[in-house]
Amino acid sequence: MNAGFFQSLATQLTGDLYDDTTQRTLYATDASAYREMPAAVAVPKTVDDLKTLIAFARQHKLSLIPRTAGTSLAGQVVGSGIVVDVSKHFTKILEINPEERWVRVQPGVVRDELNQFLKPYGLYFGPETSTANRAMIGGMVGNNSCGSNSVVYRATREHTLSVTVLLADGTEAEFGPTAANEFSEQLDLASRKNGSASLADRILLTTNTILSDSANQAEIRRNFPKQTIERRNTGYALDALLDMEPFTPGGPAFNLAKFIAGSEGTLCFLTEIKLNLVPLPPKEGGLVCVHCRSIDESLRATLVALKYQPYAVELIDDIILARADENPEQRKNSFFVQKTSNDTFPIILVVDLSRDTREEIQSLANEMETEMRAAGLGYHFPLLFGEDTKKIWTLRKAGLGLLGNLPGDAKAVAVIEDTAVDVHDLPDFIREFNDILKENQMSAVHYAHAGSGEIHLRPIINLKTAEGHRQYRLIAEQIATLVKKYDGSLSGEHGDGRLRGEFIPQMVGQHNYELMRQIKHTWDPDGIFNPGKIVETPPMDTFLRYEAGQQTPDFQTYFRYENQTILQHAEQCNGSGDCRKTERSGGTMCPSYMATRNEKDTTRARANILREMLTRSPKENRFDNPEIKEVYDLCLSCKGCKSECPSNVDVAKLKAEFLQHYYDANGVPLRSRMIANFGRLSGLASLVPWAYNGVLGTPALRRIANRTLGFHPERSMPLLDKTTLKKWFTSRRSTAKPTGTTLQKTVYLFCDEFTNFNDVPVGQKAVQLLERLGYTVLIPEHGESGRAALSKGMLKMAKPMADHNVRALRNVITADTPLVGLEPSAILTFRDEYPDLVEESLVEDAKALSKHALMFEEFIARELDAKRIRPEQFTQETRLIKLHGHCQQKAVSSLVPGKKALSLPKNYTVQLIPSGCCGMAGSFGYEAEHYDVSMKIGELVLFPTVRQQPEEVIIAAPGTSCRHQIKDGTARKAQHPAEILFDALV
C-alpha cells in the first residue's frame, strides 16, 4: 500500500486513523503469543465512522478487526487488516431501567466501572473476568467471558439481552428475543422477498435452514461439548440456538444476540449492548483459603466446596505464589499464606462463601473445614473478611501478569490454558493432562476456575527456539485429543481466535464445522469482519510473536537487570493490560493513559515498542529509533508500574536506559542537560537568590524565561530560599528542648538538593522536630542524589553521583544510625536505582545501605512502634489531614508509614486521597509540551479532592513536586509531614 492509500479514508472519519509504523507496531500484538502487523489503526468516534470503515473495507477488500482493551489470549485482535479500537470513544452508558433490571451500553464501557454506576441502584452485572478493571463489555460479549464467579452468574451470553450491530453491508440491525410466532412471521416475510431479501433476512433464513434440519440437530447434539459444562466456547454457539424455540419446544425465545456472544467480532460490529442485571452480591464477603499439598488434593477439595453453594472456587498454585512473593505489591496480598511442612508454597483453593452475615459464613466455613479434614483434604483454612478479601482477589487476578515474572526466555504460554470439562471429571482430566506434560518433559502453571471445571494451565515453553515451537504445536494437539475424550470444550472463556480455530473440526466434527463456515459466509460474505478467527484460521503455530531460532544481540547496558537482559525485562510484559485501568480503579499506573486513553500511552505500549525495536531494528544502536522516543514521551517515570504491574515491568528504568543510549547517538538536548544539572545550577543561583527569585517570581518575566527555556509559560517555578539548609544547619547552635526524653539517638539527615535549595523550611522543621523528640541530627558528607539526572535518562552523569554517595555513607549508615530523607524521590534512589547503577565493586555496599535509607515518615513510624516516640508529645487538638502520597513512595515503600506518622497526635484523623500520580513528576509538568497532560492528570482525582476540602483541613504531601502541583492546580498549600508534626508538638 502506498503512502497515501489511507488518506481519503482519514478525511472521512471524525475519529483518528493511523498508518504509521509506530501505531501499527503497538497494535500488532495482544495478550496472546501472536504478532501480525495491521494495515492501519482506526479510533472511530461515531457509528457513522464505523459505517465508513465498513464501506472502505468492502471496497478495498480489507478486513476490520474490532478491539477494546486488547487483552485477548487467543490472538482475536491480531490481524493484517484495519484494527478498529472503540475503547476510547464508545464508552457511554446509554440507558438503565432499574425496574426491569437492564442497562444499555456502548462496547467500550469498562466492566468494573459499569458496576460502580449500577451500585446506587442495587444492581450488578455478574460475569467478572480477572481483567475486570479494564475489560470492556464489547470484548466480554465477543469472547463470551465468564470469570471467577461463573458458578453463580455463568457467562456473558446468559446476560446479553439484545445487541445493536452493523452488518457486513453497513446496515444496522438489532437482535433480541423473538417469540416463536414472531420468528415464524419474520421467516415468512423474508422468504417472500426472494431476490430483494436483506442481509438480515438471509441470516435469519440460513439459520432456520441449518437448525431445522434433523440431521444437523443430531450432529450438533452429538458432537458439541457436554451440556453440563457451563463454559462452552467452542466455535459458534449453534448448540445454544438449537436449545431455543422454535427448535426446542419450551426453550427460551430465539435470540441471535446470544449467538453473537462468543463470535469474536467475526459476524458483525457491535455498537450497543443491552445487558441483564442482578441484585448486588451478599453484604458480607468471606473467603476460606484452603491450603492443599497438591493439585489433585485441591481438585478433590473443590467437589466438597461446591456442596456449600459458593460464589466462586478459585485455584492459585505454588508457582504463582512464588512469583507473588517476588512482586512488591502482591507480596502484601499474600499475607495469609502458610507454607507446607516441607517449607514449600501450597496450592490455595479460594472458596467464596459470601452471605448476608458473618455468622452464616463462619458456620458454613466450619462445616466445610470439618468435612475436608475428615477426607484428608487441606491443612490450613484461614477465613478472611472485609478489606482482606480484596487483597485475595487482587492476588488471584494478578495470576496472568505474575506469570510474566519467570526469569529467562521460557515463559508460561497461553496455548492450552482454556480447557473446560465437567467439574466432576476435573480431577481425572487434570491427572491425565499432567501425565501428558510429564511425558513431554514439561511442567505447567495451574490457576483459576476450579469450581467451574476450568483450570488455566500454562506450560512453560521457550518460543524463541525451534524446540519451543515444536512443543507449542505438539502439546496443543495432544490436549485437544484429551479434551475431546472428556467431551469438553477446548475454550471455556478465552475464545478460539487463531489459537484453537484449527482444532474446531476435531472438537465438534467436520459436519458441524462446515455449518459454522456456512454461518460465517452468510453473515460476512466478503470476509471483512475479523477473518482467520474461529473458522478458516491459519495454522496455530504461525504469526507467533517470537521466531524459532531468534537471535538477539547482547546489549551493553548502564543499569543491571538481575538474572536477565534488558530485552527479557521488556518481554516480561505479556499484554495483560493492567496498565489500562482508569483513575476510577485506583492506583498509580499508568497516569498518562488515564489522561489520554490512548494505547500508545500505556506501560504495555512502552514495553512492546522497546521489545520490537531491540528485536527487529536494523540499526547497530537499536535504541536509536525515534519510534521508541515517541512512545516513551508521555512516560512520567512515576514508577507505578514497578509495583503495580504484576509482571514487574519497570518502565521508568527502561526509559532512563533508552534515553542514555539515544543521547549516545544523538547528543543531549540543552533543556535535559539543564534539568539534570539542577543541583549545580541551584548552587550557583543560591549565591544571588534575590536575582533568581526576582525573575521567576515575577509572572511577566517568568513567562519569558519559561518560553526561552522550554517550560510552559503558565507554570510557576520553584523559588530559592534566602539561605540553604546546609548553611543554616552548620551556622546554628541547637536550641532544642527535648520533650520529656533523654534519648539522644543519632539520625543522619540526607540533605537532598531540593530541600537544600527550595524547601529549606521543611528541612529546618524536620531537624527541629527530631531534636525536640530527643534525637541528635547530623548531616553527613554526601553529594547530590542524582534524581534530576536519572529523571532525564542521563545515567552517565548519575552513576558517579551514586558511586560517591555509597562510598561516603557505607561506613556511616547502619540500622542504629539510619539515613533519613525528606524528599521521597531522592532518598528512595538508594533503594531503587543505586543497587543497579553503581559500579560492580559497590553493589553489596549499595544493597546494605539501601536497607537503612528511610523516608522521614518511615523513620517516625518505626520509632513510634519502638515506643521511642509517644503520642503524648503532640497536641490534643482535633484535625483532619488529607494525604497525597508520592508515586515513588507508593512503588518502593508504602503510604502506611505516612499515615501512621501523621496519626501520632491522637486526635488527628488521616485520610488517603485516592489519587495516583499528581502529574508533575519532577520536570515533566514544567515542560511546555507536557503541561496540558500534567494538569489533566491532576484533574482526574487530586485537584477535585483538594478543592472540596474546607480551609481547616490540612493537605499533606511529602513530595516537593506534588506540593508544587497542588499549589498550581488548586491554589492550596500542601505541607510536608515533617512540617505538620513539628507544628503539632507540645
Side-chain angles (χ1 to χ4, degrees):
M1 296 177 187
N2 61 50
F5 180 78
F6 289 105
Q7 188 172 353
S8 64
L9 175 61
T11 60
Q12 298 175 61
L13 299 175
T14 57
D16 299 309
L17 184 76
Y18 306 97
D19 63 350
D20 59 283
T21 300
T22 301
Q23 289 283 2
R24 291 167 56 228
T25 298
L26 298 181
Y27 283 85
T29 54
D30 52 11
S32 72
Y34 294 97
R35 175 193 180 275
E36 189 172 5
M37 286 288 278
V41 176
V43 184
K45 279 188 177 180
T46 65
V47 172
D48 282 343
D49 277 354
L50 294 175
K51 291 178 180 179
T52 300
L53 286 164
I54 289 171
F56 185 87
R58 292 180 69 199
Q59 179 185 351
H60 296 283
K61 300 190 185 312
L62 286 170
S63 61
L64 302 178
I65 304 159
R67 176 171 168 139
T68 49
T71 58
S72 47
L73 290 161
Q76 287 97 323
V77 297
V78 174
S80 61
I82 302 173
V83 174
V84 184
D85 183 351
V86 297
S87 68
K88 185 172 183 178
H89 299 299
F90 283 74
T91 58
K92 295 183 180 63
I93 298 173
L94 301 168
E95 183 181 7
I96 181 172
N97 188 318
E99 293 75 24
E100 296 180 10
R101 292 185 181 174
W102 57 260
V103 66
R104 191 164 53 88
V105 302
Q106 290 184 315
V109 171
V110 174
R111 185 269 183 190
D112 277 1
E113 294 180 8
L114 173 60
N115 276 337
Q116 290 172 14
F117 169 82
L118 295 172
K119 190 172 182 180
Y121 297 96
L123 296 172
Y124 185 73
F125 173 64
E128 179 180 23
T129 65
S130 63
T131 57
N133 66 354
R134 66 268 189 202
M136 296 175 176
I137 299 301
M140 293 185 70
V141 173
N143 269 5
N144 188 31
S145 300
C146 301
S148 59
N149 56 19
S150 67
V151 292
V152 175
Y153 298 119
R154 303 196 68 183
T156 301
R157 176 177 293 133
E158 279 71 39
H159 300 270
T160 303
L161 299 177
S162 66
V163 294
T164 302
V165 303
L166 294 178
L167 298 176
D169 61 356
T171 58
E172 196 167 53
E174 182 177 349
F175 298 115
T178 307
N181 61 332
E182 186 182 353
F183 180 76
S184 179
E185 291 171 4
Q186 289 179 1
L187 280 176
D188 183 57
L189 183 61
S191 63
R192 285 191 275 112
K193 291 182 180 179
N194 297 320
S196 63
S198 67
L199 179 54
D201 290 332
R202 296 197 298 274
I203 289 169
L204 192 67
L205 290 167
T206 299
T207 303
N208 181 65
T209 299
I210 289 173
L211 294 179
S212 297
D213 185 282
S214 59
N216 290 343
Q217 292 179 355
E219 282 292 324
I220 291 169
R221 291 193 166 111
R222 181 185 306 116
N223 283 309
F224 266 68
K226 281 183 183 178
Q227 290 282 329
T228 55
I229 300 170
E230 295 175 359
R231 294 162 172 262
R232 303 192 310 281
N233 255 15
T234 298
Y236 295 127
L238 289 169
D239 56 338
L241 282 185
L242 185 57
D243 286 340
M244 298 175 187
E245 287 193 322
F247 311 107
T248 298
F254 180 82
N255 190 345
L256 282 174
K258 296 184 182 296
F259 184 70
I260 289 168
S263 64
E264 302 179 8
T266 62
L267 302 180
C268 56
F269 208 110
L270 289 165
T271 59
E272 293 179 12
I273 304 148
K274 183 178 177 182
L275 299 169
N276 170 63
L277 304 175
V278 296
L280 286 169
K283 296 177 183 177
E284 283 288 348
L287 302 180
V288 182
C289 297
V290 183
H291 287 49
C292 300
R293 302 165 192 83
S294 69
I295 294 292
D296 184 69
E297 181 183 327
S298 69
L299 298 180
R300 288 185 286 121
T302 296
L303 298 178
V304 176
L306 288 172
K307 297 178 184 179
Y308 295 86
Q309 297 182 311
Y311 271 73
V313 183
E314 294 287 291
L315 187 144
I316 309 172
D317 82 352
D318 53 335
I319 297 176
I320 289 179
L321 291 176
R323 296 281 76 78
D325 196 51
E326 297 169 0
N327 179 283
E329 194 71 17
Q330 298 310 323
R331 191 183 304 121
K332 302 171 192 174
N333 296 329
S334 307
F335 67 94
F336 66 98
V337 175
Q338 184 182 105
K339 288 186 176 181
T340 68
S341 57
N342 296 324
D343 197 36
T344 59
F345 283 103
I347 312 298
I348 300 289
L349 198 67
V350 181
V351 184
D352 184 349
L353 295 176
S354 295
R355 296 294 189 273
D356 287 330
T357 67
R358 289 197 178 188
E359 290 74 20
E360 284 182 86
I361 296 170
Q362 187 70 64
S363 175
L364 285 170
N366 291 342
E367 192 177 338
M368 185 180 73
E369 179 181 346
T370 299
E371 184 173 353
M372 286 188 181
R373 286 190 183 276
L377 304 172
Y379 65 88
H380 183 50
F381 298 79
L383 173 58
L384 305 173
F385 293 102
E387 289 299 311
D388 284 343
T389 64
K390 295 179 183 178
K391 296 175 184 176
I392 309 307
W393 287 132
T394 300
L395 173 64
R396 156 60 195 96
K397 291 178 180 181
L400 171 59
L402 287 168
L403 297 179
N405 284 352
L406 294 173
D409 290 331
K411 299 294 181 187
V413 177
V415 56
I416 49 174
E417 87 297 345
D418 200 30
T419 58
V421 297
D422 186 298
V423 68
H424 295 91
D425 293 333
L426 191 60
D428 291 338
F429 172 77
I430 295 298
R431 203 158 27 246
E432 288 195 59
F433 190 109
N434 284 325
D435 286 344
I436 291 172
L437 291 178
K438 190 175 181 181
E439 288 169 11
N440 289 291
Q441 297 182 314
M442 299 169 69
S443 60
V445 177
H446 303 65
Y447 70 104
H449 318 299
S452 301
E454 176 170 10
I455 302 293
H456 292 326
L457 299 118
R458 287 178 172 241
I460 298 169
I461 300 174
N462 182 0
L463 285 175
K464 292 183 180 180
T465 66
E467 174 62 12
H469 278 237
R470 186 192 70 81
Q471 290 176 322
Y472 188 72
R473 168 165 286 283
L474 177 65
I475 199 67
E477 292 173 344
Q478 291 181 338
I479 296 305
T481 300
L482 178 65
V483 171
K484 185 60 179 175
K485 172 184 173 181
Y486 283 88
D487 288 331
S489 180
L490 198 57
S491 170
E493 63 175 340
H494 295 163
D496 296 309
R498 59 201 308 162
L499 172 59
R500 287 173 271 270
E502 72 169 272
F503 299 106
I504 292 178
Q506 180 182 356
M507 292 293 102
V508 300
Q510 190 65 39
H511 181 95
N512 289 331
Y513 180 69
E514 293 303 326
L515 296 180
M516 292 180 186
R517 291 184 65 203
Q518 184 180 350
I519 287 285
K520 166 67 174 174
H521 182 72
T522 301
W523 282 74
D524 185 20
D526 297 318
I528 66 168
F529 287 136
N530 210 10
K533 318 295 161 44
I534 299 182
V535 297
E536 298 173 353
T537 60
M540 54 83 67
D541 51 354
T542 57
F543 296 102
L544 292 177
R545 186 180 296 197
Y546 302 118
E547 299 172 2
Q550 181 171 307
Q551 299 296 314
T552 307
D554 183 17
F555 298 102
Q556 297 301 307
T557 58
Y558 294 95
F559 277 124
R560 275 177 289 276
Y561 297 84
E562 192 172 357
N563 298 321
Q564 60 181 185
T565 67
I566 183 175
L567 177 59
Q568 288 171 332
H569 187 71
E571 288 171 347
Q572 284 183 192
C573 174
N574 59 15
S576 61
D578 298 68
C579 46
R580 285 182 60 98
K581 61 185 172 62
T582 72
E583 73 281 359
R584 296 179 65 180
S585 295
T588 301
M589 178 181 72
C590 177
S592 53
Y593 172 75
M594 291 179 184
T596 70
R597 303 297 171 92
N598 292 327
E599 173 68 23
K600 182 168 71 75
D601 301 321
T602 62
T603 304
R604 173 172 70 181
R606 292 163 189 144
N608 278 342
I609 197 70
L610 189 63
R611 183 197 72 243
E612 284 280 332
M613 294 300 150
L614 294 187
T615 301
R616 302 174 191 276
S617 173
K619 291 190 174 184
E620 183 177 351
N621 177 356
R622 298 192 183 190
F623 294 93
D624 182 20
N625 280 284
E627 293 89 348
I628 308 176
K629 190 172 184 292
E630 177 188 354
V631 176
Y632 276 76
D633 180 59
L634 290 188
C635 171
L636 286 80
S637 298
C638 69
K639 289 285 183 179
C641 49
K642 181 180 175 71
S643 62
E644 292 181 26
C645 170
S647 298
N648 290 127
V649 180
D650 187 347
V651 166
K653 183 178 182 179
L654 294 176
K655 180 181 181 179
E657 184 78 55
F658 153 70
L659 282 173
Q660 183 60 75
H661 289 275
Y662 192 81
Y663 296 153
D664 291 345
N666 301 281
V668 182
L670 177 62
R671 187 180 67 184
S672 295
R673 194 179 296 278
M674 183 181 67
I675 291 167
N677 281 281
F678 170 85
R680 200 170 302 169
L681 294 174
S682 294
L684 292 173
S686 70
L687 299 175
V688 284
W690 52 269
Y692 176 92
N693 293 343
V695 173
L696 295 183
T698 304
L701 295 177
R702 184 202 73 226
R703 290 188 182 96
I704 294 171
N706 280 10
R707 286 193 180 95
T708 302
L709 298 172
F711 298 126
H712 197 280
E714 296 307 312
R715 175 65 77 185
S716 73
M717 301 300 283
L719 303 179
L720 294 172
D721 198 86
K722 61 185 178 182
T723 186
T724 69
L725 183 61
K726 286 184 178 178
K727 285 180 184 176
W728 171 83
F729 188 83
T730 54
S731 66
R732 67 188 278 276
R733 287 196 314 178
S734 174
T735 56
K737 296 179 181 178
T739 57
T741 179
T742 56
L743 187 65
Q744 294 302 307
K745 185 178 173 70
T746 299
V747 173
Y748 288 98
L749 182 70
F750 184 73
C751 184
D752 67 82
E753 50 272 31
F754 311 103
T755 307
N756 190 39
F757 296 114
N758 306 110
D759 295 324
V760 176
V762 173
Q764 291 171 333
K765 288 192 173 182
V767 171
Q768 293 168 338
L769 170 67
L770 290 169
E771 290 179 340
R772 291 277 301 277
L773 293 173
Y775 297 89
T776 298
V777 181
L778 300 175
I779 296 180
E781 187 280 320
H782 66 75
E784 290 181 42
S785 69
R787 170 51 55 200
L790 286 165
S791 74
K792 301 312 293 181
M794 294 182 64
L795 302 185
K796 289 180 177 178
M797 179 179 176
K799 184 179 183 300
M801 295 179 180
D803 290 346
H804 171 77
N805 284 336
V806 172
R807 287 193 182 98
L809 298 170
R810 60 185 171 182
N811 295 322
V812 178
I813 303 304
T814 67
D816 292 329
T817 55
L819 185 68
V820 176
L822 294 165
E823 168 54 36
S825 66
I827 190 65
L828 292 176
T829 55
F830 285 90
R831 278 149 67 172
D832 189 5
E833 290 95 346
Y834 277 19
D836 291 331
L837 184 62
V838 295
E839 67 177 50
E840 198 67 40
S841 64
L842 294 174
V843 171
E844 292 308 314
D845 289 329
K847 288 180 178 178
L849 183 56
S850 72
K851 297 175 184 176
H852 311 303
L854 306 176
M855 287 178 52
F856 175 82
E857 302 95 301
E858 290 177 317
F859 175 76
I860 295 294
R862 190 181 78 171
E863 297 300 283
L864 173 62
D865 289 341
K867 296 183 168 42
R868 290 189 283 266
I869 298 177
R870 305 183 314 279
E872 295 76 26
Q873 296 168 292
F874 296 87
T875 181
Q876 303 278 320
E877 186 183 4
T878 298
R879 297 296 298 270
L880 173 62
I881 299 174
K882 291 283 186 175
L883 172 61
H884 167 75
H886 188 279
C887 291
Q888 202 158 6
Q889 174 187 13
K890 297 169 189 172
V892 181
S893 174
S894 166
L895 296 186
V896 173
K899 186 173 183 181
K900 180 182 286 189
L902 287 170
S903 299
L904 253 172
K906 67 178 185 179
N907 292 320
Y908 276 24
T909 299
V910 183
Q911 296 175 353
L912 301 180
I913 298 176
S915 50
C917 180
C918 71
M920 185 69 93
S923 65
F924 180 89
Y926 292 91
E927 294 162 352
E929 70 275 24
H930 297 146
Y931 175 80
D932 289 342
V933 170
S934 168
M935 299 306 282
K936 193 170 183 179
I937 292 169
E939 290 291 356
L940 294 173
V941 175
L942 179 60
F943 292 172
T945 303
V946 171
R947 292 189 193 111
Q948 290 166 7
Q949 306 311 311
E951 282 299 318
E952 63 271 17
V953 173
I954 299 172
I955 308 299
T960 183
S961 293
C962 305
R963 295 193 296 275
H964 198 119
Q965 176 80 327
I966 290 169
K967 175 176 172 288
D968 279 2
T970 69
R972 286 287 294 265
K973 182 181 188 307
Q975 294 180 270
H976 191 284
E979 298 177 282
I980 296 168
L981 290 177
F982 176 80
D983 292 343
L985 280 171
V986 293

